Amino acid sequence: MAIRIVREDGDETLRKKSREVEIVDDRIREILNDMVETLHNYNGVGLAGPQIGLLKRLVVIDLYDNKGPIKLVNPKIIKQKGEQEVEEGCLSFPNQFAKIIRPAEVVVEALNENGKKVKIKGEGLLAQAISHELDHLDGILFVDKIIPGTLKYVTPEEQEENK
Ligand code: NI
């Protein structure tokens, strides 16, 4: 396993559309493991392929609950319901946070790390994370969707103080 470098705002890869993964093999599993390790290293909730410079439809999400990291290959939202106003950030935009409207509930279909079809229903934070990460696969970034006037810059020190 290895920690990958997270691409930041201004990197062209973040704006490109990712390609479907054809075969879920050991190489893909290794990338997914690296993505989880990278996610944990940055204390993030989600990470998508383009953020580590790979235009592959791969997403990892970890809400740090007892469900463990979720690894998704070729995820597709097949249903979504309602809206929630949330504050969010992105590992590719360090220290930036803004309010966004995300779906309140989503159902996502994907392959797991063994290439098996899975269906996951997410509400609240999980719905938000799925929506955010799947946007990355189409080159869409959270800054495209912010509610005007809500973008703020918070340093890690300030984040620590607010805890
Ligand atoms: Ni992001």
Side-chain angles (χ1 to χ4, degrees):
M1 299 232 287
I3 292 167
R4 307 280 185 117
I5 293 165
V6 174
R7 306 290 179 102
E8 293 185 359
D9 182 23
D11 191 307
E12 279 176 22
T13 311
L14 293 175
R15 284 296 181 188
K16 292 187 179 153
K17 204 171 151 75
S18 293
R19 287 179 294 273
E20 296 231 328
V21 171
E22 279 171 30
I23 303 164
V24 185
D25 55 11
D26 284 346
R27 201 171 65 92
I28 294 296
R29 281 186 278 277
E30 192 184 328
I31 295 168
L32 287 165
N33 286 338
D34 284 358
M35 287 173 72
V36 169
E37 198 179 350
T38 305
L39 181 70
H40 289 163
N41 183 60
Y42 286 86
N43 295 314
V45 168
L47 190 69
Q51 291 183 279
I52 57 160
L54 288 175
L55 290 171
K56 291 182 190 299
R57 300 189 86 82
L58 297 172
V59 160
V60 298
I61 291 170
D62 199 345
L63 304 185
Y64 302 96
D65 56 10
N66 55 10
K67 284 177 194 147
I70 300 168
K71 300 168 185 171
L72 302 173
V73 178
N74 301 339
K76 219 176 263 166
I77 291 177
I78 55 166
K79 239 187 249 174
Q80 63 177 56
K81 212 168 99 182
E83 286 185 342
Q84 54 174 335
E85 187 181 309
V86 291
E87 184 163 88
E88 71 179 45
C90 176
L91 292 181
S92 296
F93 291 78
N95 309 335
Q96 294 185 41
F97 298 90
K99 289 197 170 146
I100 310 265
I101 305 289
R102 292 284 179 195
E105 273 181 52
V106 301
V107 178
V108 67
E109 218 171 61
L111 299 177
N112 68 14
E113 62 184 321
N114 299 313
K116 288 234 171 76
K117 216 179 209 187
V118 291
K119 211 189 251 189
I120 295 170
K121 190 176 165 184
E123 295 176 4
L125 181 58
L126 183 54
Q128 176 190 354
I130 289 170
S131 171
H132 178 116
E133 299 313 323
L134 268 63
D135 274 353
H136 271 299
L137 303 180
D138 292 320
I140 299 165
L141 302 170
F142 90 110
V143 289
D144 302 338
K145 294 187 163 179
I146 60 178
I147 298 171
T150 64
L151 181 65
K152 59 183 185 187
Y153 293 80
V154 183
T155 66
E157 293 76 31
E158 288 167 329
Q159 278 183 57
E160 202 52 46
E161 279 167 26
N162 292 335
K163 269 184 189 160

